[in-house]
Amino acid sequence: MSEKKKMGRPPAGTEPVMVRMTHEMVEAIDAYRRAAEDLPTRPEVIRRAVEAYLDEKKKKRGE
């Protein structure tokens, strides 16, 4: 049996960000989650997408 990660205090140095999304966007996130091998949470999918976007922007600027 796999152990489920317990909820606790969020990691230090982080901030919550509330974002409203259309139903269609949430459905697209959920479809992506189901296709991912590790079944990330919605917040994790959003973090990964933002990180990938920022990395790409950084590459284009030559940083």
Side-chain angles (χ1 to χ4, degrees):
M1 174 172 32
S2 66
E3 291 185 30
K4 195 169 188 178
K5 189 173 180 180
K6 294 181 181 179
M7 293 293 291
R9 292 188 89 136
T14 64
E15 295 183 40
V17 178
M18 293 292 292
V19 179
R20 288 203 176 267
M21 297 184 178
T22 64
H23 183 69
E24 292 80 14
M25 190 174 286
V26 173
E27 285 179 339
I29 289 169
D30 288 344
Y32 176 87
R33 289 178 62 228
R34 286 189 293 275
E37 193 171 301
D38 61 342
L39 189 62
T41 62
R42 282 179 182 166
E44 181 60 24
V45 169
I46 295 165
R47 278 190 289 272
R48 290 178 187 180
V50 170
E51 184 175 20
Y53 171 80
L54 293 174
D55 287 347
E56 187 62 31
K57 293 291 277 186
K58 193 183 285 187
K59 286 178 191 173
K60 287 182 180 179
R61 287 192 305 241
E63 292 180 21

